[in-house]
Amino acid sequence: MLKSVIFNYHGLDEDEQKILKETAEQINGTEELHWVNQFILEDDLSAFDRARGFFNTIIGEFSKEQRLEIIRQIWDANRSKGYVSEIEATSLLKIAKDWGIQSDFIAYVRSIRNNT
């Protein structure tokens, strides 16, 4: 859900659609992707904030490592299309801060940058 909402923040391009479709197929989540698309269509301007609120209510059930892995996967998916927009990076930083993993996420991004 979060990956889709972040990709949709600036409008969904072909690469992002492909990434979302592949992810849905990998996790047998085609129905869930359809649900997320409907969630976004309800009000695309508030979709990120609504998703953020939703995740903030359930994220306490996840370990720090699991929260970081979710953010890493979304970051890596963004990078796989060749770029990460400023709004996508800012969105992920907001989520990481909400989830109490901001410094770990920043360290991950820096380590990738230093390795490329």
Side-chain angles (χ1 to χ4, degrees):
M1 174 181 195
L2 194 54
K3 186 187 298 185
S4 185
V5 170
I6 289 174
F7 279 174
N8 274 280
Y9 222 137
H10 58 75
L12 201 59
D13 66 25
E14 282 184 37
D15 290 334
E16 293 163 333
Q17 289 174 358
K18 182 180 175 187
I19 291 167
L20 292 174
K21 183 179 178 192
E22 288 172 355
T23 300
E25 290 170 355
Q26 288 171 357
I27 64 170
N28 197 23
T30 304
E31 289 181 34
E32 288 81 358
L33 180 58
H34 177 72
W35 179 85
V36 169
N37 290 335
Q38 294 303 312
F39 175 88
I40 292 166
L41 286 174
E42 285 177 22
D43 181 6
D44 61 336
L45 296 177
S46 71
F48 175 76
D49 290 327
R50 289 183 293 125
R52 188 176 171 192
F54 168 78
F55 279 107
N56 286 344
T57 64
I58 64 165
I59 202 62
E61 301 172 17
F62 294 82
S63 70
K64 181 179 179 179
E65 291 77 22
Q66 289 171 316
R67 294 187 307 253
L68 185 57
E69 182 58 28
I70 292 167
I71 296 288
R72 284 179 184 161
Q73 288 176 9
I74 297 168
W75 179 261
D76 292 343
N78 273 278
R79 289 186 67 236
S80 74
K81 62 185 180 172
Y83 66 94
V84 178
S85 72
E86 183 178 347
I87 197 162
E88 291 165 334
T90 301
S91 299
L92 287 170
L93 283 169
K94 286 179 182 180
I95 295 291
K97 183 177 180 181
D98 289 350
W99 295 2
I101 56 169
Q102 188 175 23
S103 61
D104 296 306
F105 175 59
I106 291 169
Y108 175 72
V109 170
R110 285 181 176 157
S111 73
I112 290 174
R113 190 183 70 208
N114 292 335
N115 290 331
T116 54

